[in-house]
Amino acid sequence: MATLRVALAVAAPRCRVLAQRGLWTQSRQQLAAAAAANGVARPSRRGLTTVSQAAAAAVTTLSRDEVITGHPSNNVTDAIYSKIGVNLHLQPTHPIGIIKQAIYDYFDKQHPDTFKKFDNLAPIVSAHANFDEVLVPADHVSRSPNDTYYVDPDTVLRCHTSAHQAELLRGGHSAFLCTGDVYRRDSIDATHYPVFHQMEGVRVFSAADWAGQEPTAYAETELKRTLEGLAQHLFGKVEMRWIDAYFPFTEPSFELEIFFKGEWLEVLGCGVMQQQILDKNLEAGHKAWAFGLGLERLAMVLFDIPDIRLFWTADQRFLKQFRAGDLSARFKSYSKFPPCYKDVAFWVSDAFTENNLCEVVRGIAGDLAEEVKLIDTFTHPKTGRTSNCYRIAYRSMDRSLTDDEINALQEEVRSTIASKLGVELR
Ligand code: FA5
Ligand code: MG
């Protein structure tokens, strides 16, 4: 049986660390399948309504009760709650803060006094802002509680910084960079973490800018030139290529890939903003581009950081390697503790999802969980029941784990799987 994800050891080549997998790209396949099943070209979109809410409140502190509300649809865990307010992007000597500032510097140099910066918008947003306002269809997979953290049915932890596009446009901002922590229920491996950081960039144009050219073509050209310049600013001379992509909020849409250590790496998604978003939030006569880039990915490439969990360590042996404004640092591994593998097999039910399993593992083992991988599956010929076997890799970035410690974690994982996921252990 094929594994769900390529195993990524800490020492794995960096290019594989950045293996592609897009929420929105995947979703297009699902949309196509749904459309085919419904016999329609495209699933219908939920109607847009106007919100009169002011821009999200600045991050102060969110109490646990505000985030883990007790509402039956709430799926935020304590492990996730503990990440809210950490704000790695606000720490000037942290790799995430350093890369954010390097991007600011590029935009300020190219276009002085043009891009307004937002980096303290609260990560709790309305589902309306996260999805409806950027035209995410009502049945899009990203809306599922399997993929997104819901505070209550109308409120989510933003799954992308695009959640702020519409409100910032309404606020009269025609060029902005919006940075923040984003949250996604996800599988576990060296490049995927349920909390990561994005920077959204938007630039609005009017007729004076495109000066007789076709507006969409003008915006597309300007967008690509801007982002190619950014990649060069961060990485120096690099080979890059544009891939056609799909996002509900842009048309046309692209992803930028950079050739790095022998492979093509996706570093950002972007495109020409859907006219509907502009027309809804601005007076007529505008065109805009938008992009959303992953700060961890850029920092992993730039600083040679092999595992996404390292961004969250408090270990000075990591943190001391980076300095504000210094893009030349290259991460040097300070320890290589071996992973410890434990397998768990169970009969699955229809309700079982891998994201739920990963949430259980993360809730118990925290950052000691390096990877959860499906290694075997079979269907019983007589009963028709399906059994999955997952291999969990436990590893600390900072120290050796004892057998007792790992066995205790694994026991708790096993009993929680049995009690919470509706599966039968084998
Ligand atoms: C988005 O989130 C879109 N909102 C981006 C966008 C904005 C497109 C504006 C068009 C216009 P995507 O899911 O591909 O797209 O994420 C964007 C980037 O975030 C990726 O290219 C990648 O660099 C980073 N990223 C995505 N998922 C993860 C993850 N699990 N861990 C780390 N980085 C991730
Ligand atoms: Mg993508």
Side-chain angles (χ1 to χ4, degrees):
M1 173 62 195
T3 57
L4 282 184
R5 196 154 326 289
V6 178
L8 293 163
V10 168
R14 191 156 50 162
C15 40
R16 294 175 69 201
V17 159
L18 301 163
Q20 268 196 57
R21 189 195 48 170
L23 183 60
W24 310 107
T25 316
Q26 258 178 349
S27 309
R28 178 168 49 172
Q29 287 152 8
Q30 195 192 313
L31 282 179
N38 294 337
V40 294
R42 235 193 138 109
S44 67
R45 285 173 176 159
R46 191 194 284 184
L48 299 178
T49 54
T50 319
V51 272
S52 57
Q53 274 176 341
V59 179
T60 46
T61 41
L62 289 158
S63 74
R64 186 177 180 281
D65 287 351
E66 286 172 278
V67 182
I68 304 182
T69 54
H71 192 284
S73 65
N74 187 285
N75 59 355
V76 185
T77 61
D78 276 302
I80 290 299
Y81 172 66
S82 73
K83 300 294 195 253
I84 297 177
V86 176
N87 293 324
L88 298 178
H89 61 290
L90 299 183
Q91 301 176 19
T93 61
H94 191 280
I96 299 297
I98 298 170
I99 201 121
K100 181 195 79 171
Q101 188 57 49
I103 300 168
Y104 281 5
D105 292 345
Y106 166 76
F107 279 95
D108 286 345
K109 202 166 104 201
Q110 295 296 312
H111 307 284
D113 303 320
T114 303
F115 284 84
K116 181 132 202 233
K117 281 74 157 200
F118 298 87
D119 61 8
N120 68 345
L121 301 182
I124 294 196
V125 301
S126 65
H128 184 73
N130 197 68
F131 299 122
D132 303 327
E133 291 203 302
V134 284
L135 311 180
V136 177
D139 56 356
H140 195 276
V141 66
S142 65
R143 290 180 184 257
S144 142
N146 191 55
D147 287 58
T148 290
Y149 289 103
Y150 280 83
V151 171
D152 61 44
D154 302 320
T155 316
V156 299
L157 299 183
R158 65 185 163 213
C159 74
H160 55 174
T161 44
S162 302
H164 299 291
Q165 276 186 13
E167 65 179 341
L168 291 173
L169 287 172
R170 281 196 297 276
H173 304 292
S174 58
F176 57 85
L177 302 172
C178 174
T179 310
D181 40 334
V182 301
Y183 296 78
R184 292 183 189 179
R185 285 184 101 240
D186 215 335
S187 8
I188 300 178
D189 67 29
T191 60
H192 293 92
Y193 203 78
V195 190
F196 61 100
H197 297 77
Q198 285 190 340
M199 186 188 291
E200 194 82 3
V202 168
R203 185 153 196 215
V204 179
F205 300 104
S206 49
D209 297 304
W210 61 76
Q213 298 172 61
E214 203 286 305
T216 301
Y218 171 82
E220 178 184 330
T221 305
E222 223 280 332
L223 169 68
K224 288 180 169 172
R225 193 173 41 222
T226 301
L227 291 173
E228 286 167 10
L230 172 63
Q232 252 141 32
H233 171 77
L234 294 176
F235 302 118
K237 234 174 148 357
V238 284
E239 245 189 293
M240 51 193 136
R241 68 180 183 188
W242 290 103
I243 304 290
D244 289 334
Y246 165 81
F247 299 101
F249 24 91
T250 48
E251 180 63 40
S253 305
F254 311 96
E255 284 172 340
L256 181 62
E257 295 189 341
I258 293 185
F259 197 68
F260 192 73
K261 298 245 161 153
E263 292 209 10
W264 290 104
L265 320 170
E266 179 206 322
V267 292
L268 61 88
C270 67
V272 178
M273 191 181 284
Q274 290 280 11
Q275 197 60 38
Q276 205 185 332
I277 300 177
L278 281 170
D279 292 348
K280 194 89 196 167
N281 298 290
L282 280 184
E283 69 280 17
H286 295 291
K287 205 78 206 172
W289 56 239
F291 66 76
L293 48 81
L295 295 184
E296 274 81 353
R297 289 216 178 163
L298 294 174
M300 287 171 95
V301 172
L302 183 61
F303 298 122
D304 225 345
I305 296 171
D307 191 304
I308 200 163
R309 293 175 302 165
L310 281 162
F311 292 106
W312 296 93
T313 186
D315 196 314
Q316 289 299 323
R317 289 172 295 178
F318 177 80
L319 297 171
K320 280 239 167 82
Q321 296 193 26
F322 307 98
R323 284 184 304 139
D326 181 5
L327 303 189
S328 71
R330 296 294 175 268
F331 173 69
K332 282 177 212 62
S333 183
Y334 48 85
S335 65
K336 277 213 174 59
F337 297 104
C340 174
Y341 299 103
K342 294 281 174 190
D343 294 351
V344 56
F346 46 81
W347 299 105
V348 299
S349 63
D350 288 345
F352 173 78
T353 73
E354 193 181 309
N355 281 357
N356 287 341
L357 171 66
C358 288
E359 192 82 272
V360 164
V361 175
R362 203 152 34 219
I364 292 165
D367 285 352
L368 299 180
E370 176 167 284
E371 185 174 46
V372 176
K373 187 167 72 170
L374 182 64
I375 56 166
D376 188 35
T377 184
F378 82 94
T379 303
H380 194 283
K382 290 220 175 88
T383 63
R385 295 171 88 197
T386 297
S387 163
N388 284 353
C389 181
Y390 284 90
R391 178 158 294 169
I392 304 171
Y394 297 95
R395 188 200 316 238
S396 166
M397 297 276 111
D398 311 322
R399 63 192 176 85
S400 301
L401 301 175
T402 66
D403 283 348
D404 284 352
E405 187 176 13
I406 291 166
N407 288 338
L409 288 173
Q410 179 70 4
E411 254 328 295
E412 196 179 340
V413 165
R414 285 178 62 84
S415 62
T416 311
I417 289 172
S419 63
K420 292 251 178 79
L421 297 187
V423 304
E424 191 188 324
L425 291 177
R426 299 185 58 209

